[in-house]
Amino acid sequence: MCTGNLYRSPLAECLLRARLAVVRETIHVSSAGTEAVPGTPMAVTAASLVAGRGGDPSGTVARRLTAGLVESSDLVLGAATEHREAAVQLSPVRALSRAFSLREFARLVRAEDAAGVVDPAARFAALVEGAAARRGSAPADAADDDVSDPLGASPGEVRECMTRIEESVERIATAVLANHRSGE
């Protein structure tokens, strides 16, 4: 999730969906914004970046983050710490151990937390639990856990945003898919 659900969160959504396509029946990926105007299309620049990296941005439109979305999610990833905090405010009990910033989760997730777990849903749950248990155990630079909003930014800043999201998506997908074999 991000603020307007136009750049950061739809970028992450589309890239994660593409990267996790082999487990799409089990792991569903979507995005929302804390101040989104529902139905607003993904920013053209973001859609172009996604398409250029093999993702499919078609049909990606903004929706607003709600308590119901948070409560029905096994993992909530925000573009920045403020978005994680918004999810926790909407559903404190459910989100406290399941809400992270995207980069925070990518930093904390470890494939070994689900070693030997083949079922994608069980594996995913073990990865989230492991990352939550690891939170606070290592020093972190909170600013590094945030992805800056590229709205109105220079092309270089937009590329930096994309790079930070792609790095995070790749780390998360690698952990999720570590034990996946085709045909399972």
Side-chain angles (χ1 to χ4, degrees):
M1 101 196 82
C2 63
T3 305
N5 197 210
L6 301 174
Y7 271 98
R8 297 171 288 177
S9 57
L11 278 168
E13 172 192 356
C14 291
L15 293 174
L16 268 170
R17 189 180 306 121
R19 189 66 172 83
L20 298 176
V22 296
V23 291
R24 72 176 159 261
E25 296 301 318
T26 305
I27 299 174
H28 304 279
V29 181
S30 64
S31 65
T34 57
E35 297 178 27
V37 176
T40 304
M42 180 181 194
V44 173
T45 306
S48 176
L49 290 169
V50 165
R53 285 160 174 80
D56 180 10
S58 62
T60 304
V61 296
R63 67 179 178 164
R64 189 171 294 253
L65 183 69
T66 64
L69 284 174
V70 173
E71 290 165 6
S72 67
S73 298
D74 294 319
L75 174 64
V76 178
L77 299 174
T81 308
E82 69 187 79
H83 303 115
R84 175 199 180 274
E85 292 168 359
V88 172
Q89 287 177 352
L90 286 170
S91 180
V93 173
R94 179 78 176 154
L96 200 55
S97 64
R98 291 175 174 87
F100 300 81
S101 80
L102 174 71
R103 290 189 51 86
E104 174 192 26
F105 187 73
R107 177 174 46 80
L108 296 173
V109 71
R110 301 285 183 279
E112 60 265 19
D113 288 337
V117 180
V118 177
D119 174 68
R123 180 170 183 74
F124 190 74
L127 293 171
V128 173
E129 186 178 316
R134 199 170 284 106
R135 182 185 276 145
S137 65
D141 178 0
D144 190 52
D145 283 345
D146 291 351
V147 176
S148 298
D149 191 347
L151 187 63
S154 72
E157 291 168 318
V158 172
R159 279 191 300 277
E160 174 64 20
C161 169
M162 182 66 174
T163 298
R164 291 170 64 80
I165 291 171
E166 281 183 306
E167 290 169 353
S168 300
V169 164
E170 186 56 33
R171 290 192 71 185
I172 293 166
T174 297
V176 171
L177 300 174
N179 285 349
H180 183 79
R181 293 179 217 100
S182 59
E184 287 186 11

